[in-house]
Amino acid sequence: MENEMIKGTMEIELIESTPTKDDFIILHQTTGWNAKGLYTYDQLYSAICNSWYSVSIYHDRSLIGFGRIISDGIYQTLICDVMVHPEYQTQGIGTKIMNALLKKCDKEGIKWVQLFCAKGKQDFYKKLGFVTRDVEAPGMSLFL
Ligand SMILES: CC(C)(COP(=O)(O)OP(=O)(O)OC[C@H]1O[C@@H](n2cnc3c(N)ncnc32)[C@H](O)[C@@H]1OP(=O)(O)O)[C@@H](O)C(=O)NCCC(=O)NCCS
């Protein structure tokens, strides 16, 4: 657990664990990611509970940020579900989440970290050092 002032004004708390289901649902709904109702919130919450590592960020005990890693702990590592409540965006909280996730990877000796970038968020990840995959070795996916 870690307390820190973001941009000198707001005291926030970072906890290395998953939030409660209710808190997670409220934050997740701000992203609109489940607008089509592809998954139930029970499923989404089970998914995050199965993560290798998660961080939750609170302000005044309200969940305002979350991020997680799916990994085998050795060489395949995927950062996903990085989200900051809209009222708290562009105040350094997303960076704080990413730094915590990357610090964990570094501590565990992970050498390669991957993620899928949502539309329009490339600059956020580029500022953290991420680069787009080579066009000759693109990420690929299949919807079932
Ligand atoms: C993407 C997201 C996590 C960024 O979190 P944040 O707390 O707003 O980001 P930060 O304040 O730490 O921003 C760090 C830097 O990235 C930049 N940045 C943040 N979001 C950006 C965006 N959408 N486009 C371009 N730059 C962005 C900031 O301007 C800042 O730059 P600076 O250091 O030069 O000031 C947040 O906007 C979010 O939760 N969005 C909705 C969910 C989402 O799309 N998640 C990403 C899934 S891949």
Side-chain angles (χ1 to χ4, degrees), residues 33 82-84 89-92 94-95 118 120-121 124-125 127:
W33 287 338
V82 176
M83 58 185 98
V84 176
Q89 288 176 9
T90 67
Q91 296 175 66
T95 301
K121 303 297 189 296
F124 169 68
Y125 292 112
K127 284 179 177 170

Side-chain angles (χ1 to χ4, degrees), residues 5 15 36 90 98 125-126 130:
M5 304 290 275
I15 295 178
K36 291 183 183 166
T90 67
M98 288 297 297
Y125 292 112
K126 279 182 185 167
F130 283 79

Side-chain angles (χ1 to χ4, degrees), residues 27-142:
L27 179 62
H28 194 281
Q29 283 173 334
T30 69
T31 66
W33 287 338
N34 199 33
K36 291 183 183 166
L38 209 53
Y39 301 101
T40 66
Y41 279 102
D42 281 345
Q43 287 176 310
L44 290 175
Y45 188 66
S46 292
I48 69 152
C49 289
N50 288 336
S51 303
W52 182 68
Y53 180 70
S54 297
V55 294
S56 304
I57 295 210
Y58 295 85
H59 177 233
D60 286 344
R61 298 191 182 171
S62 293
L63 181 71
I64 60 166
F66 175 77
R68 70 183 182 118
I69 301 173
I70 302 167
S71 178
D72 55 29
I74 300 171
Y75 81 107
Q76 293 289 5
T77 300
L78 182 72
I79 287 181
C80 46
D81 294 328
V82 176
M83 58 185 98
V84 176
H85 190 284
E87 288 174 16
Y88 291 86
Q89 288 176 9
T90 67
Q91 296 175 66
I93 292 165
T95 301
K96 186 169 177 59
I97 293 167
M98 288 297 297
N99 285 340
L101 299 179
L102 294 172
K103 187 174 161 191
K104 169 71 175 176
C105 292
D106 189 48
K107 185 177 152 206
E108 301 294 335
I110 301 281
K111 294 175 176 55
W112 187 43
V113 180
Q114 301 188 77
L115 56 80
F116 292 102
C117 179
K119 191 174 177 183
K121 303 297 189 296
Q122 289 97 324
D123 284 353
F124 169 68
Y125 292 112
K126 279 182 185 167
K127 284 179 177 170
L128 289 156
F130 283 79
V131 294
T132 307
R133 285 182 63 98
D134 192 291
V135 286
E136 298 297 330
M140 297 179 77
S141 62
L142 170 69

Side-chain angles (χ1 to χ4, degrees), residues 15-30:
I15 295 178
E16 296 176 281
S17 70
T18 50
T20 65
K21 181 156 60 171
D22 287 349
D23 284 349
F24 176 73
I25 291 171
I26 291 167
L27 179 62
H28 194 281
Q29 283 173 334
T30 69

